[in-house]
Every structure is written in C-alpha cells, then in structure tokens.
Amino acid sequence: MEWRGRRESNNIEDRRGTGGGGGFGGGGMRIPIRAGGGGGIGLIIILAVLWIGFGINPLSVIGMDDGTTTTSTQTASRQGPGVSGTSDETDNFVAVVLGDTEDVWNARFSQMGQTYREPTLVLFDRQVASACGNATSASGPFYCPNDQKLYIDLAFFRQLQGQLNSPGDFAQAYVIAHEVGHHVQNLLGTLQRTTELRQQSSETDANAISVRVELQADCYAGIWAHDTQQAGFVQDGDVEEALNAASQIGDDTLQERSQGTVVPDSFTHGTSAQRVEWFRRGLTSGDMKQCDTLQGRL
C-alpha cells in the first residue's frame, strides 16, 4: 500500500503507557493466541450475554489469552510496518489509513446528503477502558458505539502476521477499515436496530444476526479498499493480503485452529468463505447497496 508521505488523521488518542482497567468490554477482532489455550463455548456464552444485555458488539471470541504471549515474526517479502518498521512508522501508517477511511466515508456520506462524524482511534497497550467497558489486548481491535471510538493495541499486527499467517500492510489496513465499518453502521442506525433484534432473540439467532453485522462491516471495508484503489494507492499484491486476512479470521478457521472442532451455532463473524465473499463484493462493486447482509440468504 502506498502510504508514506500522505495525509495523517488527527483523530488519534494515544493512551499507551497510561494503564487502565482490566477484563473484557466492547467488541473486537478477537483472535485465539494459541491452540488449546482455554476459552471456548463457555466464554462465548458469557460474552454473548454481556453483548445482548448491554448492547456491546463482540466479534469472534474463540480461545483465551492473558495478553502477554510473545510471538515470533516471520520473514515476508512485504511485511507491514507493525512488524518490520519502527514504532513511529507504525503510528504514521495507522494515522494514514484512518485518514483514508475519513476521505472515503466523508465523500460517501456527502453523496447520500448526510454528514460523516469521524471516529477517534485510541491506541493502547495491554488494557484500556472504553464507554463499552474495559478490555485487554487479548480482545483484539474493537469499536465501541457508545463513545464512537476504535481501539487497538498495535501489538495485534504482530499477531496478525506471526500467528494468523496474514502478512502485509494492506492486511493491517483491512483490520482498521473493518472497525471503521462498524462506525458507519452505527451512524446509519444499523447497530441500534440489530442490537434490539438480538435482545429479542435466542442465543443462536443472536449469533446469526451478529454474523450479518460483521459481514456487512467486511463489505464496507471492501468499499474503502475500492475507493482507495481508485485513488491509486493500492499496490500489486495488496488485495490478496486483505483477502487472505479475511480468510484467516473466519469463525470456522479460528475454531478449527484453537479447539479442533467447528460449532456453527456459535459463529459471530461468519465463515472464512463468507468473509472473503463480502469483502470482495464491496471491493468489486464499490456500491454500498451491495452490502445489505441483513436481508435474504448470505
């Protein structure tokens, strides 16, 4: 991805080194750190209750970790700045990607006759307090609709490459764009409507609604990728990096990796194939109307 020397967003809040609360809160791109590391269905049920009861938007909650696991980086021809670059370089990269999402969604909302309220991205390490509750790095990147902020511990980028076989800067950008996709849903009223539906549903049905919400965020990430590609900032191999990342974090793939079995009723994000399909749909069409995952069959 062509990002160096480009506009950086000012909507960054750096809380690194400030400490904060512990425990879980908010919804994020939850990744199992190691196979057999604990968690499983019990944790899924607990977080589902928190989600339905308090309007928190959790992503995949497969596996457990204490947030202190050390990862080894793998050599790749196109490593992202979070792996091979300096801390300042990674900060700059994140700010540029967030700036890209601002440009894309400001233009899109303007075309719809609406105003896009830009979210704030909070950088933290190990643990953080949000308006959706407290979270640890093990929760992964997440969006909190209550304060309209994205939260990320940049150590996640090392996990993305080293543990999930998803190298490359565009894979990292996809993660940020996905969380921004949830912000778009929040501004359009989708999160509120689906939260109300989940509160009236069984656990299985609530999970199915969550899958639809997450796949739409993937499609919106694809919309961002489409517009960024049209602007000339996407390089050869970038799209493949994002598609690979979407595949690696499908519920079926994560469950198989972490616990050796797949439990479809517990899916909250969708399968690898679904995540790839909906990101690709946004990317190829560039049409938000093609991102309606809430109607019909997936």
Side-chain angles (χ1 to χ4, degrees), residues 29 31 140-141 152-161 164 175:
M29 207 166 267
I31 301 300
I152 184 170
D153 183 336
L154 296 182
F156 176 79
F157 289 159
R158 292 193 294 274
Q159 298 171 5
L160 190 65
Q161 173 167 309
L164 293 177
V175 170

Side-chain angles (χ1 to χ4, degrees), residues 65-260:
D65 182 66
D66 59 7
T68 61
T69 301
T70 300
T71 66
S72 60
T73 60
Q74 299 176 355
T75 301
S77 58
R78 301 181 71 245
Q79 293 177 323
V83 176
S84 61
T86 66
S87 296
D88 287 344
E89 188 178 46
T90 305
D91 292 355
N92 295 342
F93 167 76
V94 169
V96 168
V97 173
L98 184 63
D100 269 354
T101 67
E102 292 166 353
D103 293 343
V104 167
W105 292 112
N106 272 310
R108 291 274 178 170
F109 271 62
S110 178
Q111 291 169 5
M112 295 186 292
Q114 301 184 41
T115 299
Y116 179 68
R117 296 194 301 275
E118 297 174 354
T120 296
L121 190 153
V122 178
L123 301 176
F124 73 96
D125 50 23
R126 302 190 65 179
Q127 53 191 9
V128 70
S130 77
C132 293
N134 298 328
T136 69
S137 298
S139 301
F142 66 95
Y143 172 73
C144 175
N146 296 345
D147 57 19
Q148 298 189 11
K149 294 182 178 181
L150 324 171
Y151 293 81
I152 184 170
D153 183 336
L154 296 182
F156 176 79
F157 289 159
R158 292 193 294 274
Q159 298 171 5
L160 190 65
Q161 173 167 309
Q163 296 165 341
L164 293 177
N165 301 317
S166 299
D169 52 12
F170 212 66
Q172 298 170 8
Y174 153 71
V175 170
I176 297 171
H178 173 95
E179 300 305 333
V180 172
H182 285 309
H183 179 63
V184 172
Q185 292 173 316
N186 191 34
L187 296 182
L188 296 178
T190 304
L191 290 187
Q192 181 178 352
R193 292 195 301 272
T194 53
T195 295
E196 292 172 353
L197 287 174
R198 290 194 302 264
Q199 291 172 342
Q200 303 167 11
S201 303
S202 66
E203 180 187 335
T204 298
D205 289 343
N207 286 343
I209 295 170
S210 174
V211 166
R212 292 179 178 272
V213 171
E214 298 301 333
L215 292 178
Q216 186 177 66
D218 279 334
C219 190
Y220 286 163
I223 293 286
W224 161 81
H226 171 275
D227 289 6
T228 302
Q229 187 175 53
Q230 292 294 309
F233 299 127
V234 176
Q235 299 173 314
D236 292 342
D238 282 344
V239 170
E240 288 72 18
E241 291 173 1
L243 292 173
N244 175 60
S247 177
Q248 294 295 335
I249 56 179
D251 284 327
D252 51 345
T253 299
L254 292 178
Q255 288 188 356
E256 181 66 33
R257 180 184 292 124
S258 66
Q259 59 196 35

